Amino acid sequence: MKPVSKQTRSGRAVPIFFITLIFTAQTIAADEPLIGLEEAEQIALQNDPVVKAGIARAEALAEDAVADAQLPDPRLRTGLYNLPLDDFDISREPSTQLRLGIQQAFPRGDTLKYKSGKTRAKARAEQLRTELERKKLLKAVRRNYLDIYFQTEAIKIIRSSRKLFENLTEITQVQYGSGGSSQQDVLRAELELSRLDDRITQYQNKEETARSRLSRWLGDAAWRPLQEEMPSLPTAPDPEQILQSLEAHPEISMRSAVVESHQQSVALSKEQYRPGWTLGAEYRMRFGNNPDDSSRSDMGAVMLTVDMPLFTEKRQDKRLAASQKRADAAVLDRANSWRKLRESLSMESANRKRLAERIQRYEERLLKEAEENAKAALQAYQSGTIEFTGLMRSRITELDIKLQALKLRVDLLKTNANLLYLAAGEGQ
């Protein structure tokens, strides 16, 4: 029996090492659960701090609205009045009194009503802003997930095409050896293989970038492998239905709540022209005796304080004018938001229509024609009818059409995601 040489043992050990490494990597990848679009949405909604912070702010404003509707706390007053400073004798002077009183202020007009209404409108606006952030989050997660899906599927298509290019390289090498082709054909085939490898690297880079963006909401789950099937989204309503319900979109509803808040501010400013009231009552205890040795009687007092808004030119008038201008600006902001949403709806509706037409054209004609053209080019090259450049061009065209068809399908899903954002409703 021949002894095994050191080189032979080393040559066997290296493949065994790589086989073990590959098997281990495949086992780890197999154990890692796949992630679908629906799960990605749930993880993002559960972990997003922006949505949680908005909910907390809305709840805080709702609590403030209750407090704003209440009267100010009563004020307790007490003090020792008319105390002689020469001997500090509290019983010598009949005017020396110990006073104990209580006061209650009543704000001007319906100030409390409008102040509470303003805070309630702010709470409503914050609640709707949170719903708007939720819709933005869903759209962002969906688009990023679709980006990752496109990159991964594009890599699969290129790797599948790479096998065809490898076969072409082998054919050219065989024909070059038999004198049926030139060395340039062999170099061109190898060049195209290198270009395919470079395209794979580019798509991998884009995939990693998209996963990095998605990790903002999903954390480590963004790096899990995706489910192989094409992602699905809820059916977007008809554009006419979306247009009719555009007023119910969270962004428009939020703007309406902001307008209401400013309108309450206008009403609140108008109430400042009315007087405010403060009622009070005091018990006044006196010390010592009268000249006839009778005890000095205690006294009481009832007080009324009235705010008199007589000089309104530089205070109330200015406050009212400022609040009216803010309300007008809020109305214009709402109109501008509505116009932007309507513009987006028009664009996305047109995109969906044209993308559907292009996808139909690709599925019914271009994909089949590109495949048939590539097969015909291969047969023509093998029979010497066309040059190798024509064969490579047909294969590259077939690959590009497959990638473009995939991109169109993903773009259609992205358009549906945008339409779902424009549609009113909790699940969209």
Side-chain angles (χ1 to χ4, degrees):
M1 180 177 181
K2 293 183 180 181
V4 179
S5 65
K6 183 177 180 180
Q7 181 179 1
T8 305
R9 290 196 300 267
S10 176
R12 293 178 178 177
V14 173
I16 292 174
F17 169 75
F18 280 109
I19 292 173
T20 305
L21 184 62
I22 294 172
F23 177 77
T24 304
Q26 291 177 346
T27 304
I28 294 174
D31 293 339
E32 191 173 10
L34 304 178
I35 184 169
L37 178 56
E38 185 176 356
E39 183 183 359
E41 294 174 3
Q42 294 175 355
I43 295 175
L45 290 174
Q46 291 172 359
N47 297 336
D48 186 55
V50 176
V51 174
K52 291 182 179 180
I55 294 174
R57 283 192 294 267
E59 292 175 350
L61 287 169
E63 299 291 345
D64 284 338
V66 176
D68 288 342
Q70 311 306 312
L71 289 171
D73 291 332
R75 301 178 66 182
L76 181 67
R77 296 183 57 186
T78 186
L80 190 62
Y81 290 76
N82 304 322
L83 176 68
L85 298 181
D86 51 356
D87 58 1
F88 297 100
D89 185 1
I90 63 175
S91 62
R92 189 185 73 184
E93 297 292 337
S95 61
T96 301
Q97 300 172 354
L98 175 64
R99 297 182 183 181
L100 181 64
I102 188 170
Q103 291 180 336
Q104 177 63 60
F106 296 90
R108 304 171 188 268
D110 292 328
T111 294
L112 296 179
K113 170 186 173 183
Y114 294 121
K115 186 177 180 181
S116 177
K118 177 182 177 181
T119 309
R120 283 198 303 270
K122 285 184 176 180
R124 175 65 176 162
E126 193 62 45
Q127 180 183 1
L128 291 165
R129 185 177 287 107
T130 302
E131 177 60 25
L132 179 61
E133 290 296 331
R134 179 182 178 277
K135 291 179 74 68
K136 289 181 178 179
L137 171 62
L138 282 177
K139 183 175 75 169
V141 170
R142 287 165 176 171
R143 291 180 64 87
N144 276 277
Y145 185 95
L146 290 170
D147 280 337
I148 298 171
Y149 176 80
F150 171 73
Q151 309 303 334
T152 55
E153 291 300 312
I155 291 173
K156 292 179 182 178
I157 292 175
I158 295 175
R159 284 176 175 166
S160 177
S161 297
R162 192 184 188 283
K163 296 178 181 179
L164 296 176
F165 280 87
E166 288 176 352
N167 294 335
L168 292 179
T169 303
E170 294 176 358
I171 292 174
T172 55
Q173 290 174 347
V174 171
Q175 292 193 352
Y176 174 67
S178 61
S181 63
S182 65
Q183 186 178 8
Q184 183 181 3
D185 293 342
V186 177
L187 295 175
R188 176 65 189 275
E190 294 175 349
L191 174 61
E192 292 300 333
L193 278 177
S194 299
R195 292 181 62 185
L196 287 180
D197 292 336
D198 183 64
R199 293 183 72 174
I200 290 175
T201 302
Q202 292 179 15
Y203 281 117
Q204 287 174 336
N205 183 31
K206 293 178 181 179
E207 177 192 352
E208 292 169 357
T209 301
R211 287 185 182 272
S212 297
R213 290 196 300 265
L214 191 62
S215 65
R216 171 185 173 185
W217 302 287
L218 270 63
D220 294 338
W223 301 96
R224 286 161 49 186
L226 304 188
Q227 292 181 353
E228 295 185 0
E229 61 270 13
M230 175 78 75
S232 61
L233 291 172
T235 303
D238 184 84
E240 287 297 328
Q241 295 178 350
I242 296 178
L243 181 61
Q244 293 175 1
S245 63
L246 210 56
E247 290 291 338
H249 190 274
E251 183 169 355
I252 304 302
S253 299
M254 178 197 70
R255 297 292 182 184
S256 298
V258 172
V259 170
E260 181 184 354
S261 173
H262 287 293
Q263 290 173 344
Q264 294 289 327
S265 293
V266 172
L268 184 61
S269 298
K270 291 179 179 179
E271 293 302 304
Q272 304 312 303
Y273 290 91
R274 304 176 66 177
W277 307 84
T278 301
L279 293 177
E282 281 187 353
Y283 167 71
R284 300 177 177 180
M285 184 177 67
R286 297 199 297 170
F287 307 94
N289 297 322
N290 294 317
D292 60 357
D293 291 334
S294 62
S295 299
R296 293 169 180 160
S297 60
D298 296 335
M299 296 182 177
V302 178
M303 295 158 290
L304 173 65
T305 303
V306 181
D307 294 335
M308 300 179 66
L310 300 179
F311 308 100
T312 62
E313 181 180 358
K314 293 185 178 180
R315 183 179 293 111
Q316 283 86 347
D317 292 351
K318 298 298 183 182
R319 298 289 188 191
L320 177 59
S323 59
Q324 286 176 336
K325 291 183 181 299
R326 292 190 186 97
D328 294 340
V331 172
L332 294 174
D333 287 339
R334 179 178 61 184
N336 186 51
S337 296
W338 193 88
R339 292 173 63 182
K340 287 183 177 180
L341 290 177
R342 185 179 62 179
E343 177 189 4
S344 298
L345 176 61
S346 178
M347 292 174 56
E348 298 302 336
S349 299
N351 286 339
R352 183 169 70 172
K353 181 179 179 181
R354 298 311 173 194
L355 284 171
E357 292 176 357
R358 294 185 65 190
I359 289 173
Q360 183 178 5
R361 185 178 300 114
Y362 269 76
E363 291 179 348
E364 293 180 355
R365 293 179 50 191
L366 290 177
L367 288 171
K368 296 178 182 178
E369 291 173 355
E371 183 179 0
E372 293 173 356
N373 178 59
K375 291 180 180 178
L378 178 60
Q379 294 175 357
Y381 174 71
Q382 290 176 336
S383 61
T385 306
I386 64 172
E387 296 181 355
F388 183 73
T389 302
L391 173 62
M392 295 302 296
R393 188 183 300 114
S394 67
R395 286 299 181 184
I396 295 172
T397 301
E398 181 187 17
L399 173 60
D400 290 339
I401 287 178
K402 287 181 179 179
L403 292 174
Q404 185 61 32
L406 173 64
K407 187 176 186 303
L408 289 174
R409 296 188 188 101
V410 173
D411 285 345
L412 181 59
L413 287 173
K414 288 184 178 180
T415 301
N416 286 333
N418 294 338
L419 288 172
L420 288 171
Y421 168 77
L422 295 172
E426 282 291 325
Q428 299 165 343

